[in-house]
Amino acid sequence: MLLAIDAGNTNIVFAVFDGAQQKGQWRIATDSRRTSDEYAVWLVSLMAMRGLRPVDVTRSILSSVVPAATFNLAKLCRDHFGTDPMRVGDPSVELGIKNLLRNPREAGADRLVNAVSAGASYPKPLIVVDIGTGTTFDVINADGDFLGGIIAPGPQLALDALHKVAAQLPKVEIVRPEQVIGYGTISAMQSGMFWGYLSMIEGLITRIKAELSPTGTPPVTVVTTGGLGSVFAQATHMIDHIDSELTLRGLRLIYERNATT
């Protein structure tokens, strides 16, 4: 079986695949101080609840945007599962798509994984909107290659920053207000975060489409993923697909592409 690890700035997600079938998925808050042994105690216990044992894992793949956590995650694979992980971003790992950034090294591993996964699952060209700690718009052309995109702060990050620097503004949760006009501080903040971010998402999708496919032919498919992807997608007609499994499926696909070469 394959152990896939997606290490993001907020959470680290682990999944075990038996072929294309996902046997289990678990997430833990990202903490670069956590050791490989600590990961193992937590993960092995949860795997056991699904009837999975460490010896069942014979392969692993790792995507990380948190360099300080990468070492211990790789050590987890080697010491507790007996497998040296394939690492997205390593020059020896073939993605099956071209990275067309002017400096290809600048592309985050998660963005490349999402590009691979979306290109294999949906009609191209594509925009992948990943709404998490950051909000990223990844653009895939008609050939399935990664063109680049846009990076902005995520809604929760912006909300936390607003609370931190403005003494009289409370910490509020992200919800969809029924009205755009807020009739109190909390409702005004929630409207700004939700409707403001949704307007940004819709505006940037419109501008990207105009650059990527000026005539509208071929049409551009828009996919969203990430922790808050579904929250915003349900309030707009501009997102075609919600795909919470996009990154993990991409990791499995990248491993399979390289395992046969």
Side-chain angles (χ1 to χ4, degrees), residues 5-13 27-34 39 63-70 73 108-111 130-136 151-154 157 160 226-227 247:
I5 305 173
D6 171 31
N9 289 298
T10 301
N11 292 302
I12 301 175
V13 184
R27 66 183 58 231
I28 192 170
T30 301
D31 183 349
S32 58
R33 300 168 299 176
R34 191 172 281 119
Y39 284 122
S63 168
S64 175
V65 296
V66 188
T70 303
L73 290 169
D110 55 342
R111 299 178 68 190
D130 189 342
I131 310 174
T133 305
T135 299
T136 59
I151 302 174
L157 184 62
D160 290 345
T247 308

Side-chain angles (χ1 to χ4, degrees), residues 163-235:
H163 165 66
K164 184 177 180 180
V165 301
Q168 292 187 320
L169 295 182
K171 190 169 186 176
V172 300
E173 63 178 328
I174 297 173
V175 297
R176 177 181 177 177
E178 294 184 4
Q179 299 171 304
V180 175
I181 300 172
Y183 293 94
T185 299
I186 291 177
S187 60
M189 292 176 66
Q190 289 175 327
S191 183
M193 283 301 107
F194 186 86
W195 296 116
Y197 258 85
L198 185 63
S199 296
M200 179 194 76
I201 291 167
E202 291 179 331
L204 289 176
I205 288 173
T206 299
R207 290 177 180 272
I208 293 171
K209 283 184 173 182
E211 289 187 17
L212 187 60
S213 183
T215 65
T217 303
V220 179
T221 306
V222 182
V223 182
T224 189
T225 189
L228 292 170
S230 62
V231 175
F232 288 92
Q234 293 169 5

Side-chain angles (χ1 to χ4, degrees), residues 71-125:
F71 174 82
N72 280 315
L73 290 169
K75 195 171 188 296
L76 164 73
C77 295
R78 288 192 297 268
D79 292 356
H80 296 280
F81 295 94
T83 171
D84 193 32
M86 183 182 295
R87 300 191 199 186
V88 177
D90 188 294
S92 66
V93 176
E94 293 290 339
L95 300 179
I97 64 172
K98 295 177 182 177
N99 177 355
L100 300 179
L101 287 184
R102 291 174 181 172
N103 181 0
R105 292 179 177 272
E106 292 181 352
D110 55 342
R111 299 178 68 190
L112 293 173
V113 172
N114 284 346
V116 170
S117 185
S121 304
Y122 301 102
K124 299 177 282 288

Side-chain angles (χ1 to χ4, degrees), residues 136-151:
T136 59
F137 297 76
D138 298 322
V139 182
I140 298 98
N141 66 16
D143 294 324
D145 298 324
F146 178 68
L147 287 180
I150 298 167
I151 302 174

Side-chain angles (χ1 to χ4, degrees), residues 1 47 52-58 80-81:
M1 295 186 188
M47 288 174 58
L52 300 171
R53 303 168 299 163
V55 293
D56 295 327
V57 173
T58 57
H80 296 280
F81 295 94

